[in-house]
Every structure is written in C-alpha cells, then in structure tokens.
Amino acid sequence: MSTAGLVASQKLAERYSDVVRSLTADEWEAPSRCAGWSVKDLVAHTGSNFKVMVDPPAEDPGAPAPATAEEMQELLVAQRRDWTSTQVADEFLSSADGAMGVLEMMQQGGVASTPMTMTDLGTYQSHQLSDAFAFDMWCHMYVDLLAPEGPVTRPVAEPDNEVLSAAIGWMWDGLPQMCKPVSSVLDRSLGVRLSGPGGGEWTLRPGSELLTVEAGIIDADTVIASTATSFVMWGTTRTSWRDHVSVDGDSDFAGTVLDTINIV
C-alpha cells in the first residue's frame, strides 16, 4: 500500500494550505514557473483536483471527454480562470481535508488494488493515487510556486526523505507508461543514482514491451547520477537533464535515453 504516499500528501497539503492562506494580491496574479499559469491558476489546479476527489463532477454526455491528462487539467483551470482569488482559495482550503480522506480510503481493503486508468498516463492501482498527489503537490508548490524557482518567498520545511520518496516513487512507477519512447531506445540496462532526500539507486531494464524499474543498480555498465530534487526538475523537463546529470559509462546511450524522459 502507498501509506507513505498518503502521509506525504497530508504533509504537503498542510504546507500548501499555509502558503495559500498567506498569498497577497500581487502574488496571486504573479506568473508561476509553470508555463502559462499564474499563481492563481496553479492553486486552482491543485484545488480543483481536491474538489474532484471530494465531489466528482457529473459527466456531460454531449461534451467530448479530454483525451489526455494535460487537457483535463487545462480544462479544470480554465473553468476557474474568471474566479476571484478568494474563490480559488476557498475551494482549495475547503476541499483539502476531504481529498486526503478519499486518499486514505483508497488504502483500504479491496479498494486499494482496484485498477484506475488515468487517461494517457496509464493504469495504476487506486492506492497509488496518494503517491501521484505527493508528486503533483511537490512539483507545483516547491518548484513552480515557491522561491528560488517560483515567485513566492515563504519559510517552509526543507526537502525531507519522507515526502520526496513518495514523489520519486511515483515518477518511477509512472515512467514506463508515461514515457513509452524510453522503452524503444533502452536496449540495455541503465543505472540511476539519486542523492539527497528521496534518493536511492535504481535500474531501468528493457522489457518485452515496456521497460521495468528495479531497486538497486544491477548489471548496468552505464550509470547516471543527480540529486533527487534535480530529478524532479529534469525528469519533468522543467530544466535540461544536461544541467544536472553526470554519466559514468556510455554517454551517448545515456543521452539518448534521457532525451526521451518527460514525466507528467
């Protein structure tokens, strides 16, 4: 079960809520680091995801369903673009606890292993959604909202292993399905070593259809290394992997693989 992801999500939701309560009028309108989104859009994104968990919207049979997760998220934000910052904050703050309650329920009994298809992102077990929320909140709060990368300066907790491990775990779980081009260029094992909070060692192995991610570095002649916090940046293409990654072994092979990674 992803109980670690649940704990991480609860911590991040609490930290994020504190920041939302403190935002000034100028900060609400500032551009976030997430391309095309203001701080208000960014908070609306997370708040709308909380709201969907608590109160799923009724399906409109006359409207085409978004084909991708990105289209869905853009739609939810667009629906709230004319809202005031107070309305956006209210939805976020009033839905956060309920969303965490739903994630906790998804750790229970038969629900935990129920398959859940997330549009183009792939199919996962329901208990893994808590890891996805931990990843999403980490990226949007610590990278896109808060300084030094984002526009808002606030004293918040430093990166810690408990929170980051859940986010990194979701990235590895999602990589094979989200980044299928990686499987087409991974013709041998590639080791990964991430340092700092959330760090560890993994091996990307070719599979019959999609690659697999295994704990530990096993039979890999080429190993890439960066910090775990940097992996969140370059693994989501917020920055170039070339700014963060060192390669021990075949740099051409590593570069070919790294150029295909884009986790969302």
Side-chain angles (χ1 to χ4, degrees), residues 21-245:
R21 292 187 186 97
S22 73
L23 291 171
T24 67
D26 287 343
E27 288 171 337
W28 276 108
E29 299 305 319
S32 76
R33 197 185 184 286
C34 190
W37 279 2
S38 66
V39 167
K40 190 176 78 170
D41 291 334
L42 199 69
V43 176
H45 159 73
T46 305
S48 64
N49 284 336
F50 287 164
K51 180 66 173 180
V52 166
M53 293 288 287
V54 175
D55 185 17
E59 292 187 11
D60 181 354
T68 68
E70 184 175 359
E71 288 178 6
M72 172 60 78
Q73 298 307 321
E74 287 287 354
L75 176 62
L76 289 171
V77 171
Q79 291 170 345
R80 291 156 171 80
R81 193 149 280 140
D82 292 335
W83 288 16
T84 66
S85 59
T86 299
Q87 288 174 304
V88 170
D90 284 348
E91 179 177 66
F92 183 108
L93 297 170
S94 65
S95 303
D97 286 347
M100 294 304 106
V102 175
L103 293 180
E104 184 173 10
M105 179 271 294
M106 287 182 169
Q107 307 299 314
Q108 308 302 317
V111 176
S113 59
T114 301
M116 176 181 58
T117 298
M118 301 172 67
T119 58
D120 59 324
L121 302 185
T123 300
Y124 306 88
Q125 293 187 340
S126 292
H127 71 89
Q128 293 177 281
L129 191 60
S130 61
D131 295 330
F133 266 82
F135 163 74
D136 193 72
M137 283 190 283
W138 175 271
C139 286
H140 289 312
M141 182 174 70
Y142 275 90
V143 179
D144 297 329
L145 177 64
L146 294 174
E149 301 292 339
V152 175
T153 300
R154 290 292 185 280
V156 292
E158 292 295 319
D160 62 86
N161 192 68
E162 186 175 44
V163 168
L164 261 174
S165 290
I168 299 296
W170 172 253
M171 294 177 75
W172 289 135
D173 286 341
L175 176 65
Q177 296 185 80
M178 293 183 202
C179 307
K180 292 181 180 178
V182 180
S183 296
S184 66
V185 298
L186 189 75
D187 58 9
R188 69 198 103 140
S189 295
L190 176 67
V192 182
R193 181 175 294 116
L194 302 180
S195 59
E201 295 183 343
W202 295 266
T203 300
L204 310 187
R205 288 184 175 277
S208 57
E209 294 184 8
L210 298 178
L211 68 90
T212 61
V213 181
E214 300 179 12
I217 296 178
I218 308 164
D219 299 330
D221 294 329
T222 299
V223 177
I224 64 170
S226 80
T227 64
T229 50
S230 294
F231 175 47
V232 176
M233 299 284 288
W234 61 259
T236 60
T237 68
R238 281 169 166 80
T239 58
S240 170
W241 64 263
R242 291 173 176 81
D243 296 332
H244 304 281
V245 176

